[in-house]
Amino acid sequence: MGQTITEKIFSQHIGREVKAGEIIRCDIDMVIGNDITTPISIKAFEESGAQKLANPDGFSIVLDHFIPAKDIASANQARISRDFAKKHQLKNYFDEKDMGIEHALLPEKGLIVPGDVIIGADSHTCTHGALGAFSTGMGSTDLAFAMITGGNWFKVPESIKVVLSGKPGKYTTGKDIILEIIRLIGVDGALYKTLEFTGSTIKHLTIDDRFSMCNMAIEAGAKNGIVAYDEITAEFLADKNLARAPRIHYSDEDAQYVQVLEIDVANLDPVIAYPFLPSNGHSVKKAVEDKIKVDQSFIGSCTNGRLADLKVAAEILKGKKVHPDVRLIVTPGTQKILREANHLGYIDIIVDAGGVVSNPTCGACLGGYMGILGDNEVAISTTNRNFVGRMGSRSSKVYLANSAVAAASAITGYITDPR
């Protein structure tokens, strides 16, 4: 029987054919830590007696959750990573001098390459599967083991084949597609499996759409999400100084899947995930009927903080004003995205409309800072999770949506169909 793309990536790395279900030891191309998780990894690394990193060029630290430091604790936490990076002369260390949310920044830097095996101590590390890599989240001590040895243990995941057909309508994006998938299979529907995105729709999806889809694979319980390399991938990588040569793989026609899920994207409306699960998805039409008043609209995060998100927000906001009762917060994914958006005039449009633009940070998404919700407040948000208390008060509510919906809702004060 043939192999899936995920099985092929592991096979290439360990030098023999592997199948889903096998437990293997595999070298890792890129290990990723952030300001919250890396200090735990550093402590485990140092307590082990290790003196040097097994693969220093394959280790990245990105300070992105609470940077610039929001308080004394976060400043001290960041200091641990800074000192470690300096001690080990770490090449791939990013803080205020070159800021970005890790899952937006590292692909931008050419540090994520097709065919890679990647782990990060952050659950949304699966984002990088958009470039045809195997990428997954692990714990901080798993990260330490990889820092010391250069590899880790994996159970090769079974795969679910998601066959997408049709061309998406206006304002239906990769975010809506993944929310629809999660609605259909649930938050544990892909538990420890690969979500492999295929079908005729793929050629209509930008690289930003693909990042959004792979990013939220974890919200369906998946080990990883992945999209095979194609012309759109090549175009994104064309101007990057890649850290490694790409290793391009495609699933065989007779590859084995535990499930095949077919979705007609041409008929898909923008999807709104109601509280308190990403799987609680409904058409934006229902949300409009329900007349859901919002206090805050947030556009950003590793799911939707890319240039395309700022572009669509600016298109909708141009010449209009944010509703008096709404706070619009926009967080670009990286400094490069911020600079490009500024050059293209998007930032002026957002600020003129009454929005505020922050530095690149994960802060608001996890209820850290730069957009905390108060008691009983309601947010329309382009983030990835809407659990109880996710963005602030436990009595607040978060509705997940794409950036067009968030921008339109900021103007009207209610969840709104941007069409």
Side-chain angles (χ1 to χ4, degrees):
M1 292 296 181
Q3 290 182 296
T4 66
I5 184 173
T6 296
E7 290 170 326
K8 286 188 175 184
I9 290 171
F10 278 122
S11 296
Q12 193 276 329
H13 273 72
I14 70 171
R16 67 171 179 84
E17 185 174 298
V18 303
K19 286 291 186 181
E22 284 190 54
I23 295 174
I24 61 169
R25 172 72 182 274
C26 182
D27 289 342
I28 295 168
D29 299 290
M30 182 55 66
V31 176
I32 307 167
N34 60 52
D35 47 318
I36 292 179
T37 58
T38 308
I40 304 168
S41 304
I42 290 170
K43 182 179 179 182
F45 176 90
E46 293 177 342
E47 287 179 350
S48 76
Q51 297 299 311
K52 62 180 183 178
L53 294 160
N55 179 17
D57 289 349
F59 180 45
S60 296
I61 299 177
V62 184
L63 307 190
D64 59 1
H65 280 62
F66 294 135
I67 298 299
K70 76 179 185 73
D71 54 24
I72 295 169
S74 60
N76 289 335
Q77 189 88 335
R79 181 66 181 267
I80 296 169
S81 294
R82 286 196 180 97
D83 290 347
F84 185 85
K86 186 176 181 180
K87 177 181 177 181
H88 292 271
Q89 299 180 316
L90 200 63
K91 181 172 70 174
N92 300 319
Y93 169 75
F94 306 98
D95 60 9
E96 290 91 340
K97 291 180 289 299
D98 195 357
M99 292 190 74
I101 299 171
E102 57 194 305
H103 308 311
L105 183 68
L106 297 184
E108 184 179 281
K109 296 291 185 184
L111 294 171
I112 305 300
V113 180
D116 277 358
V117 170
I118 302 156
I119 68 166
D122 184 275
S123 58
H124 292 104
T125 303
C126 49
T127 306
H128 307 299
L131 298 181
F134 174 86
S135 193
T136 195
M138 285 188 168
S140 293
T141 50
D142 294 301
L143 213 72
F145 184 77
M147 290 162 64
I148 296 164
T149 68
N152 217 314
W153 293 92
F154 298 86
K155 181 181 178 182
V156 181
E158 298 175 313
S159 292
I160 296 174
K161 186 176 186 178
V162 181
V163 183
L164 305 170
S165 61
K167 183 178 180 179
K170 189 173 184 180
Y171 299 135
T172 296
T173 69
K175 177 65 164 289
D176 304 294
I177 294 170
I178 189 62
L179 285 175
E180 176 68 1
I181 291 167
I182 298 166
R183 183 189 73 81
L184 291 170
I185 67 175
V187 291
D188 59 354
L191 196 61
Y192 210 102
K193 295 178 177 66
T194 297
L195 281 178
E196 182 179 326
F197 303 106
T198 70
S200 62
T201 302
I202 296 297
K203 67 177 180 289
H204 299 296
L205 299 178
T206 67
I207 202 71
D208 290 350
D209 286 320
R210 299 173 187 198
F211 279 128
S212 294
M213 288 161 54
C214 289
N215 174 272
M216 288 191 68
I218 184 62
E219 266 65 65
K223 190 68 175 170
N224 66 306
I226 196 162
V227 181
Y229 181 99
D230 65 5
E231 295 85 355
I232 293 170
T233 324
E235 183 180 354
F236 174 78
L237 296 172
D239 64 345
K240 310 288 187 294
N241 182 19
L242 296 180
R244 291 163 293 285
R247 291 158 289 185
I248 298 167
H249 302 284
Y250 299 98
S251 294
D252 295 324
E253 287 188 10
D254 58 345
Q256 297 297 293
Y257 296 93
V258 293
Q259 183 181 352
V260 176
L261 182 65
E262 298 185 0
I263 298 175
D264 179 4
V265 173
N267 296 314
L268 183 65
D269 291 326
V271 178
I272 312 296
Y274 282 39
F276 290 99
L277 285 173
S279 59
N280 192 13
H282 301 276
S283 165
V284 69
K285 293 175 183 175
K286 174 175 169 50
V288 171
E289 290 172 0
D290 289 344
K291 296 182 179 178
I292 301 164
K293 190 176 186 298
V294 300
D295 301 289
Q296 179 170 299
S297 176
F298 178 79
I299 299 172
S301 85
C302 60
T303 316
N304 285 113
R306 294 179 171 81
L307 190 64
D309 298 291
L310 275 62
K311 179 183 179 181
V312 73
E315 288 174 354
I316 290 170
L317 289 164
K318 189 172 184 178
K320 298 181 174 65
K321 291 292 184 181
V322 172
H323 192 279
D325 296 336
V326 178
R327 309 181 298 272
L328 171 61
I329 301 170
V330 178
T331 298
T334 68
Q335 293 282 48
K336 182 180 179 183
I337 292 170
L338 174 59
R339 288 165 66 95
E340 289 180 356
N342 191 47
H343 175 73
L344 293 165
Y346 303 158
I347 301 302
D348 282 345
I349 291 170
I350 291 165
V351 174
D352 287 346
V356 62
V357 180
S358 82
N359 60 279
T361 175
C362 304
C365 176
L366 70 151
Y369 79 141
M370 293 285 192
I372 302 296
L373 296 177
D375 292 343
N376 301 309
E377 287 194 316
V378 174
I380 183 77
S381 178
T382 67
T383 53
N384 40 52
R385 288 178 182 158
N386 58 350
F387 308 145
V388 173
R390 171 68 179 181
M391 291 183 71
S393 169
R394 290 183 61 81
S395 62
S396 65
K397 293 180 179 179
V398 177
Y399 291 80
L400 302 179
N402 70 36
S403 298
V405 173
S409 303
I411 296 166
T412 64
Y414 291 82
I415 295 181
T416 297
D417 188 337
R419 298 170 299 182

